[in-house]
Amino acid sequence: MNMLTDACTSLNKQESLEITELSEVLAEAL
Amino acid sequence: MEPKYVSREMRDYIIEMGAETITWCMQCGLCTALCPWRLVPGETSEKFSIRHMLRLGQMGMEGFEDETVLFACSTCGMCVKNCPRGVKIIDNVRAMRASIVGGGVVPANLRPILGSAHANGNPWAGPREKRTAWQEGLDVPKFGPDTEYFLFVCCHSCYDPRSTKIAKSIVKLLKAAGVSFGVIGEEESCCGESMRKLGDEELFQKLAQSNIELFNQKGVKKIITTSPHCYWTFTQEYPAFGGEWEVIHYTQLLAKLLEEGKLKFSKEVPKKKIAYHDPCYLGRHSNIYDDPRKLLASVPGVELIELDRARELSLCCAGGGGRIWAEVLWENASANSGSLMHLKRMPRCSQQPAPTV
């Protein structure tokens, strides 16, 4: 996740693309 | 051009370090054609060809010990899955690294990582007593004789502040489903996966032995892993050293609980379209593709989108094979440098109709 997040930041894509972890999405939906 | 000399001794040494299948390679080059480095123009891509590296190993010839070549492979497994001769390419890469690292020649950026794993049992330079710091504010049960599952939290989630949320979320999910689980804590050591891939076989075996003795002494029978790398190591590497338990990745367990009706997702999440990125060690290496997708698809409001390269063809994030430690500094990287494999992954992700990966 962090590798993709860093790449996203490096390419200034963090506004258009969110990188998250599956467990976070699932825990949020409980 | 200076002549290069064949060294039967070097070849035999590499084979002895674990590259038993290196002589099976017929140099067809499919591995190099499929390697994700081919998508990334730049210095590493120009220097690194897995076919060439294997050939140097077969002949015991110098050239593979160049750091850019030796540590380029991210062990994503794309070549292994498709090799027509069944060559265990990653084992061969590991053995070639071990033939250099085992002799004490370790790249400068890897020395503190391996040193920390030796001294603290984790590669994050975190003291043992801080291994459970991520649990702050959560009531995480201790593993005991009556606990069904031992939850092994990857060092990454124990020590990297950006990743502790993974462990916290998994604890919430397991509690919500009423799973009997517990952690051991500061006595745990890193599974050693990236140390072995970097060629430090002695360190890997030290960590593995320490964990196996600890888990057996505590009476562990079933393990939940948070990381695909720990899952793969416990299932594929530890049995050879006497570590045999029922190991399950958290996505497998949660999918099973969902199917049994013990876990329910009732709250709609604000994100709508989500694409799932298959990690190499969960997908290609462990053949777990469906459980994470089943879980995501069951969340109200989520529309699951597939990336252009998904499942068996998923692109590597470039963190495997110890490359998480070997990468160049971010300030030296840019979109145009093409020096990092995951910079190539990202534009491909952003072209998908999903705002979340």
Side-chain angles (χ1 to χ4, degrees):
Chain A
M1 180 184 75
N2 291 342
M3 298 294 279
L4 295 178
T5 305
D6 288 343
C8 201
T9 310
S10 184
L11 293 172
N12 290 320
K13 292 278 183 190
Q14 65 271 43
E15 294 296 320
S16 56
L17 188 66
E18 182 194 357
I19 308 292
T20 188
E21 221 283 333
L22 175 62
S23 58
E24 272 191 278
V25 178
L26 299 177
E28 220 180 301
L30 282 173
Chain B
M1 182 186 279
E2 288 202 7
K4 285 190 174 182
Y5 297 97
V6 171
S7 164
R8 182 172 288 182
E9 288 77 16
M10 190 62 197
R11 186 202 62 179
D12 291 348
Y13 184 54
I14 290 168
I15 292 173
E16 198 183 305
M17 296 305 284
E20 288 93 355
T21 65
I22 201 163
T23 53
W24 300 0
C25 173
M26 60 183 181
Q27 292 286 295
C28 72
L30 188 60
C31 51
T32 291
L34 293 171
C35 178
W37 274 116
R38 298 284 71 73
L39 299 167
V40 191
E43 190 198 349
T44 305
S45 187
E46 278 167 24
K47 275 192 169 180
F48 175 68
S49 151
I50 186 66
R51 182 201 61 75
H52 187 232
M53 184 176 168
L54 290 179
R55 187 62 174 154
L56 293 173
Q58 278 181 332
M59 307 290 280
M61 288 167 79
E62 62 182 33
F64 71 85
E65 68 282 1
D66 179 315
E67 281 179 26
T68 316
V69 175
L70 192 61
F71 295 99
C73 175
S74 68
T75 70
C76 75
M78 186 67 84
C79 54
V80 180
K81 271 275 181 199
N82 293 281
C83 175
R85 297 277 287 180
V87 179
K88 293 179 180 170
I89 299 169
I90 295 173
D91 288 353
N92 297 339
V93 168
R94 178 167 61 78
M96 291 174 81
R97 289 177 179 175
S99 72
I100 302 296
V101 173
V105 185
V106 180
N109 60 334
L110 296 179
R111 277 177 221 145
I113 308 300
L114 300 177
S116 172
H118 264 294
N120 308 311
N122 72 80
W124 290 88
R128 273 196 184 274
E129 58 271 23
K130 293 278 182 192
R131 190 171 182 96
T132 52
W134 64 270
Q135 297 175 12
E136 201 183 325
L138 285 173
D139 183 21
V140 182
K142 272 269 178 198
F143 183 85
D146 300 325
T147 315
E148 185 180 4
Y149 287 101
F150 160 47
L151 174 66
F152 183 80
V153 178
C154 175
C155 304
H156 203 146
S157 289
C158 290
Y159 292 104
D160 182 350
R162 294 195 297 174
S163 300
T164 52
K165 55 193 174 187
I166 298 171
K168 288 178 181 174
S169 300
I170 292 171
V171 164
K172 280 182 202 162
L173 288 156
L174 294 175
K175 280 187 169 184
V179 177
S180 161
F181 74 97
V183 298
I184 295 175
E186 59 189 59
E187 295 163 89
E188 298 166 19
S189 297
C190 173
C191 70
E193 191 267 341
S194 64
M195 284 84 222
R196 193 175 212 195
K197 293 285 165 33
L198 286 170
D200 198 335
E201 183 65 22
E202 191 186 333
L203 175 56
F204 166 73
Q205 292 196 21
K206 178 186 157 185
L207 295 168
Q209 219 56 61
S210 159
N211 277 332
I212 291 166
E213 279 169 23
L214 175 69
F215 300 174
N216 288 342
Q217 180 212 327
K218 295 280 181 187
V220 170
K221 298 278 183 285
K222 298 178 180 181
I223 303 177
I224 305 167
T225 65
T226 60
S227 155
H229 292 260
C230 307
Y231 173 81
W232 185 85
T233 308
F234 289 159
T235 54
Q236 305 300 316
E237 309 262 42
Y238 274 39
F241 300 94
E244 293 189 70
W245 316 277
E246 189 182 317
V247 185
I248 194 164
H249 186 255
Y250 85 88
T251 56
Q252 292 178 294
L253 180 60
L254 294 184
K256 185 172 161 272
L257 294 166
L258 186 74
E259 212 171 282
E260 291 168 355
K262 292 175 183 162
L263 183 68
K264 280 193 178 74
F265 301 115
S266 46
K267 200 169 145 197
E268 191 159 324
V269 296
K271 297 140 194 154
K272 300 292 180 195
K273 290 181 179 174
I274 301 183
Y276 172 70
H277 163 78
D278 289 280
C280 300
Y281 275 77
L282 199 61
R284 255 190 312 278
H285 284 280
S286 305
N287 289 313
I288 299 170
Y289 297 107
D290 295 326
D291 290 334
R293 287 177 168 79
K294 275 183 205 162
L295 289 165
L296 258 184
S298 67
V299 173
V302 167
E303 185 188 337
L304 190 60
I305 304 284
E306 289 293 348
L307 296 169
D308 63 338
R309 286 188 58 166
R311 302 179 74 95
E312 290 87 350
L313 294 176
S314 176
L315 263 181
C316 180
C317 78
R323 282 201 61 81
I324 189 171
W325 316 115
E327 279 293 8
V328 295
L329 295 170
W330 278 103
E331 49 267 37
N332 294 338
S334 74
N336 299 322
S337 73
S339 59
L340 297 169
M341 201 191 292
H342 40 288
L343 290 185
K344 195 71 187 179
R345 178 50 153 160
M346 205 35 58
R348 293 178 80 108
C349 287
S350 63
Q351 283 160 15
Q352 308 305 309
T356 305
V357 174

